[in-house]
Amino acid sequence: MKGRSASRECAFRLLFEASLRGPEALDGLEITLRDQLEDEESRHFCADLIGGVRARDAELSTMITQLSHNWDIKRLPTTERIVILMGLHEMTAPVPIPAVVAIDEAVELAKRYGGADSPGFVNAILDAHRRKAAAGA
């Protein structure tokens, strides 16, 4: 696989696996990325996305709780939680991805891996963050 969309999908799958098996699922990350992604830029983007989401999990989870009007994050399906964490991380990283791109990519992952309501829910949470950020809140 190649490109940022492929990197995001790879990051999603690895974060999902880590949520089920524990952080040791990410042992040998460099080898896994080399096997799954064709170019160095894609591997670097994927590794940065995984690292950023893991490092900022508590912060991003708090944002989800606030944006979802106090919906208990523990009740969120794992798929939606990880996709939203990734989208929020991308939108708020030191070098942010444009919100429209982050939202579109997250919705595509939700379509592929989530349930029927997943894309709409993911879009609603990430768009709420986009609107809040645009308003300067």
Side-chain angles (χ1 to χ4, degrees):
M1 293 192 296
K2 189 174 181 178
R4 285 193 170 189
S5 292
S7 297
R8 287 180 183 94
E9 184 170 356
C10 183
F12 168 79
R13 285 187 279 128
L14 291 169
L15 287 166
F16 188 88
E17 185 175 351
S19 76
L20 299 176
R21 292 184 37 219
E24 61 276 358
L26 297 174
D27 290 348
L29 180 62
E30 186 177 318
I31 294 168
T32 301
L33 294 180
R34 200 172 335 119
D35 289 344
Q36 294 188 20
L37 297 168
E38 294 177 16
D39 62 284
E40 186 62 34
E41 183 180 341
S42 296
R43 291 188 288 271
H44 182 73
F45 183 80
C46 183
D48 282 353
L49 184 53
I50 290 169
V53 167
R54 292 186 73 220
R56 299 178 63 208
D57 185 272
E59 172 194 356
L60 298 169
S61 294
T62 298
M63 291 172 70
I64 293 171
T65 299
Q66 293 168 346
L67 293 165
S68 61
H69 304 290
N70 297 316
W71 178 268
D72 184 1
I73 193 157
K74 293 175 186 150
R75 292 180 50 208
L76 265 180
T78 303
T79 299
E80 285 85 344
R81 181 178 183 278
I82 292 170
V83 169
I84 294 168
L85 288 170
M86 289 172 55
L88 286 172
H89 171 69
E90 286 195 277
M91 293 166 70
T92 60
V95 179
I97 301 295
V100 67
V101 173
I103 293 169
D104 184 58
E105 292 284 341
V107 168
E108 289 303 314
L109 284 171
K111 286 178 184 176
R112 182 169 297 141
Y113 293 100
D117 295 332
S118 297
F121 182 73
V122 166
N123 185 66
I125 298 298
L126 294 178
D127 192 55
H129 171 74
R130 181 196 59 77
R131 284 184 275 117
K132 185 177 177 180

